[in-house]
C-alpha cells in the first residue's frame, strides 16, 4: 500500500491525488462526494493572490492602452520596470515554488534550440499572415519599429523591449507566479488553459487572441511537462525576436 501525504487528498477509486474542493476525480471520473470544500476569493489566500496579481497587470495594461500617458518609450520604459518589480516581489514571496523552475542543471540545450526553431516557424507564419491581412484588407502597415526609431539605438531598444523583457518577466509572471497560485486549488491541466487565456487577454487585442491563446497554452504545457520556465522563455523570446526581425526587414533596417 503506497504511503500517502497526510496533507494531500486522494481518489478512493484510483488513488490519484486530487484537490480538496474537487467533486470528481480528473483521472477516473469517480465522484468524490459532496463534502468538497468551497473555494472562493473570500476564503482562499492563493486565489486572492492570483486575483490581486493579475489585477495589477490588467490595470497597468489598460492604462497604457487607453490613456495618453505612455505614447513614447521614455514613459513606457518605467511601466516595464514597474511590472518587472511587481513580478519579482510576488515571485520572492513564493520563492520556494519558483526557485525549482529556474534551475538550469536539468535544461537540455537541444530542446531549447528545438523550441526556438519552432517559435521562429510559428512567428513567421503569423507575421506573414497578419501583414497580408493588414495590407490587403485594412490597408494599413503596422510596424513596431516606428515607436523606437527616434532613439539613438532604436534596434537595440526594440529588441530589449519587445523580445527580451516580455520573455523573462511575462513567463515569470504567468507561468511562474500565477500558475503556482492557481495550481494550489486547480488541476494543473486546467491551470495551463486558464493562464493561457488570461495571458492572451492581457494584450487587450481581440484579433490577436487567435494566436495568443494557443501560444499561451503551448508554453503552459512546456511548464507543466518539464517543470521549468526556461523552455517557455526561449520560445517566447524567439517568437518575439522573429516578429521584430520581420518589422526591421520591412523597414530596411537589417542591412
Amino acid at each position: 500500500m503506497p504511503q500517502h501525504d497526510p496533507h494531500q487528498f486522494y481518489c478512493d477509486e484510483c488513488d490519484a491525488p486530487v484537490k480538496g474542493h474537487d467533486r470528481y476525480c480528473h483521472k477516473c471520473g469517480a465522484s468524490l462526494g459532496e463534502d468538497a470544500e468551497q473555494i472562493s476569493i473570500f476564503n482562499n489566500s492563493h486565489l486572492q493572490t492570483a486575483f490581486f496579481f493579475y489585477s495589477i497587470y490588467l490595470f497597468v495594461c489598460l492604462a497604457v492602452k487607453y490613456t495618453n500617458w505612455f505614447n513614447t518609450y521614455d514613459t513606457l520604459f518605467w511601466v516595464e520596470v514597474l511590472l518587472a518589480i511587481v513580478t519579482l516581489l510576488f515571485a520572492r514571496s513564493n520563492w520556494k515554488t519558483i526557485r525549482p523552475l529556474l534551475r538550469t542543471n536539468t535544461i537540455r540545450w537541444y530542446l531549447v534550440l528545438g523550441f526556438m526553431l519552432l517559435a521562429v516557424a510559428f512567428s513567421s507564419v503569423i507575421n506573414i499572415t497578419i501583414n497580408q491581412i493588414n495590407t490587403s484588407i485594412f490597408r494599413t502597415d503596422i510596424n513596431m519599429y516606428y515607436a523606437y526609431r527616434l532613439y539613438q539605438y532604436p534596434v537595440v531598444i526594440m529588441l530589449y523591449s519587445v523580445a527580451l523583457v516580455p520573455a523573462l518577466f511575462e513567463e515569470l509572471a504567468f507561468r511562474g507566479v500565477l500558475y503556482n497560485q492557481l495550481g494550489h486549488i486547480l488541476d494543473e491541466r486546467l491551470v495551463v488553459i486558464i493562464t493561457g487565456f488570461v495571458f492572451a487577454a492581457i494584450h487587450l487585442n481581440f484579433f490577436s487572441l487567435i494566436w495568443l491563446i494557443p501560444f499561451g497554452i503551448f508554453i503552459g504545457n512546456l511548464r507543466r511537462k518539464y517543470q521549468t520556465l526556461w523552455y517557455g522563455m526561449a520560445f517566447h523570446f524567439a517568437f518575439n525576436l522573429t516578429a521584430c526581425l520581420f518589422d526591421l526587414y520591412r523597414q530596411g533596417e537589417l542591412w
Side-chain angles (χ1 to χ4, degrees):
M1 189 76 174
Q3 294 294 319
H4 282 173
D5 182 347
H7 302 292
Q8 173 70 59
F9 297 92
Y10 294 87
C11 173
D12 292 334
E13 296 295 328
C14 68
D15 211 39
V18 295
K19 304 294 183 183
H21 58 277
D22 288 346
R23 293 188 178 275
Y24 298 93
C25 175
H26 63 82
K27 184 176 181 180
C28 70
S31 174
L32 301 176
E34 299 298 325
D35 296 327
E37 61 177 307
Q38 299 298 309
I39 295 295
S40 77
I41 194 171
F42 301 106
N43 68 1
N44 187 273
S45 61
H46 298 296
L47 191 55
Q48 289 170 354
T49 301
F51 179 81
F52 181 55
F53 180 66
Y54 187 72
S55 295
I56 294 174
Y57 256 81
L58 182 60
F59 175 80
V60 172
C61 291
L62 286 169
V64 170
K65 186 173 179 66
Y66 294 109
T67 70
N68 296 321
W69 303 338
F70 309 100
N71 289 337
T72 66
Y73 189 67
D74 297 73
T75 51
L76 193 58
F77 169 79
W78 296 108
V79 173
E80 294 175 347
V81 171
L82 171 63
L83 290 179
I85 292 174
V86 169
T87 300
L88 290 173
L89 288 175
F90 275 85
R92 181 68 182 86
S93 67
N94 193 27
W95 186 240
K96 286 185 178 180
T97 56
I98 292 292
R99 184 177 181 179
L101 301 173
L102 297 175
R103 291 173 180 164
T104 58
N105 59 332
T106 59
I107 300 302
R108 300 293 179 263
W109 295 105
Y110 67 89
L111 288 177
V112 173
L113 179 60
F115 290 133
M116 292 184 73
L117 291 176
L118 181 62
V120 170
F122 183 34
S123 184
S124 297
V125 171
I126 294 299
N127 278 276
I128 292 171
T129 302
I130 296 304
N131 184 60
Q132 287 296 321
I133 292 174
N134 285 335
T135 55
S136 61
I137 298 178
F138 299 110
R139 307 297 181 185
T140 60
D141 180 20
I142 300 175
N143 194 296
M144 294 180 291
Y145 182 66
Y146 292 154
Y148 303 96
R149 60 182 179 176
L150 300 178
Y151 299 95
Q152 187 173 3
Y153 302 104
V155 175
V156 174
I157 295 174
M158 178 183 178
L159 296 182
Y160 164 80
S161 176
V162 177
L164 182 62
V165 171
L168 295 177
F169 292 102
E170 287 182 7
E171 290 310 308
L172 182 59
F174 288 90
R175 259 63 66 172
V177 175
L178 196 61
Y179 190 110
N180 283 359
Q181 294 297 332
L182 294 177
H184 285 287
I185 57 175
L186 298 173
D187 175 69
E188 196 170 9
R189 288 172 294 186
L190 182 58
V191 174
V192 168
I193 296 173
I194 292 175
T195 53
F197 271 84
V198 297
F199 165 78
I202 208 73
H203 290 78
L204 303 176
N205 187 317
F206 181 78
F207 187 60
S208 66
L209 295 179
I210 297 172
W211 69 87
L212 283 174
I213 290 175
F215 177 99
I217 292 176
F218 176 77
I219 293 184
N221 273 305
L222 293 182
R223 154 61 167 103
R224 182 173 73 92
K225 181 176 181 179
Y226 297 103
Q227 294 300 306
T228 181
L229 295 179
W230 291 114
Y231 295 142
M233 287 177 175
F235 186 93
H236 200 152
F237 174 77
F239 183 95
N240 287 9
L241 176 63
T242 303
C244 290
L245 295 178
F246 267 90
D247 278 7
L248 292 172
Y249 174 76
R250 289 198 295 267
Q251 293 299 308
E253 295 293 333
L254 286 184
W255 49 76

